[in-house]
Amino acid sequence: MEGRVWYLPHMPTDPALQDIAHALRQAQRVVVLTGAGVSAESGTPTFRDAMTGLWASFNPEELATPEAFERNPELVTRWYDQRRLGCMACLPNPGHLALARMERELTARGGRFTLLTQNVDRLHQRAGSQNIVELHGTIMVWRCTRTGREVTPPPEPMQAFPPKSDDGGLLRPSVVWFGEMLPESALAASFEALDGCDLFISVGTSSVVQPAASFVFYAKRSGATTSEVNPEDTAITRWVDHAARGKSGLLLPEINRLAFDD
Ligand code: BJW
């Protein structure tokens, strides 16, 4: 109301945030798994949000499968090219930046930090994260379906759909579609990081897509403290030790503050 001064009551910190921060202070090997939610505050839609999700107006099965690409390469490549340009126009948000800081703090004290991301948008790289495993590839790189040769398209709309490589084959985004194997090197790096980690944090993923959805169980088997940061309950909520409810752009900087500044 105009002209009135409002005093906000002091909001007590969510105990789950305190618990995650406490575990982070003690941890030597930290694994963070991210999903589309961590980029939501940068303006990229998530996959499964009924109102704004990327697939609210498309059936995912029609766009993110090798069969869809074979059936309608023009539609699929147009959609991916639009998303590629959309991601390039976005900026990393405070959640991405907080994960980059978490890595710096961990490595400065001789610990190890691994970021496993299902995201294809490269916003973690742009925020400064270093040790990143791209589980589902990246939309920034495309490859020839005939030769496998990879290209990085320039930051402008492609000229023709479906695009062709210099080798004459169709170009497709270097992402992992349903029914395709994740890159072997990404899986090996993930299991190596999960084996022996002492803190696992799942951020902004609904945890319904395998195999990433099962990583929490590998972490648990290693004896790690497990946690999640998400505005909503997910498929793994009942399995984690600590669930902090809220946006990652708000909560991750707060976890860092509690762990490293206090
Ligand atoms: C916020 C927020 C804010 C919002 N802050 N949070 C075993 C059992 C059953 C099925 C399978 C199985 N193994 C394999 C499968 C098949 C399949 C699968 O898992 N299907 C399930 C749907 C059941 N998996 C595969 O096919 C995988 N391949 C494989 O395993 O090969 C071997 C094999 C094949 C077949 C059979 C058996 C074995 C490949 C999966 C590839 C997934 N690819 C996609 C598309 C990538 C390209 C692209 O970008 O277009 O990856 S699908 C899509 O989902 C994308 C995402 O990376 C992935 C995960 O989605 P994510 O990130 O969780 O997003 P959302 O939208 O679901 O959730 C967002 C969350 O954010 C929500 O929780 C919000 O609340 C939250 N949020 N705002 C924090 N501000």
Side-chain angles (χ1 to χ4, degrees), residues 180-210:
E180 292 185 325
M181 291 299 289
L182 276 64
E184 228 168 81
S185 57
L187 279 178
S190 302
F191 292 128
E192 199 268 321
L194 288 161
D195 183 19
C197 77
D198 40 29
L199 174 62
F200 174 86
I201 314 176
S202 173
V203 184
T205 173
S206 57
S207 288
V208 295
V209 174
Q210 299 292 349

Side-chain angles (χ1 to χ4, degrees), residues 36 41 47-48 80 83 136 176 179-180 205-206 210 230 248:
E41 289 153 85
F47 287 91
R48 293 176 183 83
Y80 274 98
R83 284 181 53 204
H136 296 163
V176 181
E180 292 185 325
T205 173
S206 57
Q210 299 292 349
N230 199 305
S248 47

